[in-house]
Amino acid sequence: MTTFLISGGRGLIGKTLSKTLKMQGHKVYKLTRRPKRKSHIYWDPEKQSIESKHLNEIEVIINLAGANIGEKKWSEKRKLELINSRVNSIHFLRKSAANMPKLQYFISASGINCYGYNKHHEMTESDEFGDDFLSKLVKEWEKASNTFKEICPVGILRIAMVVDKKGGALNKIMKSVKFGLGSPLGNGQQYVPWVHIRDLCRMFVHCIDQKKEGIYNAANGYLSNKEFMRTISKKMKKPFFFPAVPRSILSLALGEMSTMLTESLKVSNDKIRKTGFTFKHESFDSAMADIVNNDN
Ligand SMILES: NC(=O)c1ccc[n+]([C@@H]2O[C@H](COP(=O)([O-])OP(=O)(O)OC[C@H]3O[C@@H](n4cnc5c(N)ncnc54)[C@H](OP(=O)(O)O)[C@@H]3O)[C@@H](O)[C@H]2O)c1
């Protein structure tokens, strides 16, 4: 049995990941600004405040904390919030690790949208960062995570769009498809990398078990936005409409954030496969069938 601390553990990924770990017999504490249970540990990275209970038991930290990227338009103020809620909270966690004598491993979420867009090849972990906002954010986020290298091995997962009906982007898309509004975004040709929530949790477990160091793209694959929307509509037995939602409308509604939906990104998952990891869902069709037909 291993004792875990998951920062941001009450969020979308943290909920399924902690369930997975508990089912394997591990002890999981969630680090949260809004504690509600005995297994929750209070912290407020902005105020540099953390409850000391249980910290001396922690063997592995999983870092998932950060203000939600898709929740609000990216004003300059919001951009700072997105950066600080990730970077400063990791620095505070690193300081707090002085009270974690048993710490053996640190693994952090990162984002797949870090390579820039519209390149023609599949991006690998050794490709350069892009120069858009998300690329700069990821660079700072990963730099902060790597400060843990002073005390333990560090793993980083560059996570693609999480396919889970309980929240995140897919949940919002499924709601609009339910109301008959399934249509491609922009010209629909742009590639969308995706990861099934349970494959992502299995990937965390795989890296933790082997104490994998370094950066891994966390994506089952990618497909065009048109195919993505068509598959969701088909699996939900809902209509798939044309014409597409124009880029200009998305840009007006979402501002710079619309780039996440309209720009194209292909990523390679060879690096994680070469460590022996296998995906349960090789196609988006299989992932969506699972999402629509299963409740958890
Ligand atoms: N879901 C995706 O598709 C996806 C894709 C790529 C990368 N990621 C990254 O993976 C991580 C986890 O994703 P998720 O979907 O589980 O996110 P989520 O549901 O938004 O949860 C993130 C958690 O971070 C904490 N948080 C929010 N603002 C914070 C702040 N200002 N300071 C400290 N903590 C804060 C919150 O916990 P409390 O309110 O309990 O403190 C929240 O539950 C995030 O960093 C996200 O950017 C997610």
Side-chain angles (χ1 to χ4, degrees):
M1 187 199 74
T2 301
T3 305
F4 287 86
L5 181 66
I6 310 186
S7 60
R10 294 188 62 210
L12 182 70
I13 299 172
K15 276 184 196 147
T16 304
L17 185 52
S18 63
K19 212 191 265 181
T20 307
L21 293 167
K22 281 183 203 160
M23 273 166 57
Q24 293 179 348
H26 301 299
K27 195 187 258 186
V28 177
Y29 295 111
K30 292 182 181 178
L31 202 49
T32 170
R33 296 163 305 158
R34 303 164 293 145
K36 291 218 168 93
R37 297 198 182 149
K38 262 169 80 181
S39 59
H40 291 171
I41 300 176
Y42 166 82
W43 76 330
D44 188 333
E46 221 176 300
K47 295 186 183 139
Q48 302 258 305
S49 165
I50 188 166
E51 235 179 323
S52 59
K53 70 173 185 183
H54 305 303
L55 294 189
N56 61 354
E57 299 166 38
I58 303 304
E59 292 165 293
V60 172
I61 297 177
I62 302 175
N63 175 55
L64 303 174
N68 195 292
I69 305 256
E71 198 175 84
K72 292 182 190 164
K73 263 189 170 181
W74 297 347
S75 61
E76 289 311 308
K77 185 170 167 247
R78 181 61 177 170
K79 283 183 179 175
L80 260 183
E81 261 176 71
L82 295 175
I83 296 171
N84 290 342
S85 62
R86 289 174 170 74
V87 173
N88 297 351
S89 62
I90 294 175
H91 287 312
F92 180 55
L93 206 46
R94 170 68 189 84
K95 258 202 232 166
S96 311
N99 298 317
M100 302 179 203
K102 293 185 181 165
L103 186 68
Q104 295 163 15
Y105 187 59
F106 175 88
I107 185 164
S108 179
S110 173
I112 201 77
N113 296 70
C114 65
Y115 300 110
Y117 298 104
N118 305 320
K119 312 259 168 73
H120 295 296
H121 65 286
E122 286 185 347
M123 308 312 284
T124 70
E125 293 80 348
S126 52
D127 274 298
E128 296 288 317
F129 284 102
D131 52 19
D132 57 298
F133 168 66
L134 283 184
S135 299
K136 287 176 191 157
L137 166 74
V138 168
K139 194 172 178 183
E140 291 301 309
W141 193 1
E142 293 183 353
K143 193 170 145 200
S145 291
N146 280 326
T147 60
F148 269 87
K149 281 183 181 170
E150 294 157 9
I151 49 172
C152 64
V154 172
I156 292 176
L157 296 185
R158 287 185 175 162
I159 304 172
M161 183 206 289
V162 174
V163 171
D164 183 346
K165 71 175 162 204
K166 293 193 276 318
L170 184 72
N171 173 274
K172 289 184 187 142
I173 294 168
M174 285 176 79
K175 277 185 188 147
S176 61
V177 170
K178 197 170 163 191
F179 292 110
L181 299 173
S183 61
L185 306 178
N187 66 13
Q189 306 292 308
Q190 71 279 25
Y191 288 103
V192 183
W194 60 276
V195 62
H196 187 289
I197 179 70
R198 276 190 301 281
D199 272 333
L200 175 63
C201 292
R202 291 175 53 249
M203 208 181 293
F204 269 103
V205 170
H206 174 84
C207 289
I208 292 162
D209 283 349
Q210 300 189 15
K211 295 210 173 55
K212 285 281 169 215
E213 295 190 62
I215 296 169
Y216 294 89
N217 286 342
N220 294 58
Y222 55 87
L223 76 173
S224 75
N225 176 271
K226 190 165 144 189
E227 273 316 302
F228 178 78
M229 292 302 299
R230 195 206 301 277
T231 307
I232 296 170
S233 306
K234 190 176 82 187
K235 293 296 169 202
M236 292 177 70
K237 300 189 170 62
K238 292 287 175 186
F240 175 64
F241 279 124
F242 276 97
V245 182
R247 250 177 109 101
S248 51
I249 301 273
L250 286 168
S251 167
L252 206 63
L254 304 173
E256 197 178 342
M257 201 200 322
S258 66
T259 51
M260 276 167 67
L261 304 172
T262 56
E263 305 302 320
S264 190
L265 177 62
K266 296 193 223 174
V267 294
S268 161
N269 56 23
D270 283 354
K271 188 174 172 190
I272 192 77
R273 283 185 194 275
K274 280 184 185 148
T275 66
F277 182 79
T278 53
F279 290 92
K280 281 250 163 68
H281 300 281
E282 290 291 341
S283 71
F284 187 62
D285 196 88
S286 149
M288 269 316 293
D290 177 71
I291 291 288
V292 169
N293 296 326
N294 292 312
D295 272 339
N296 49 22

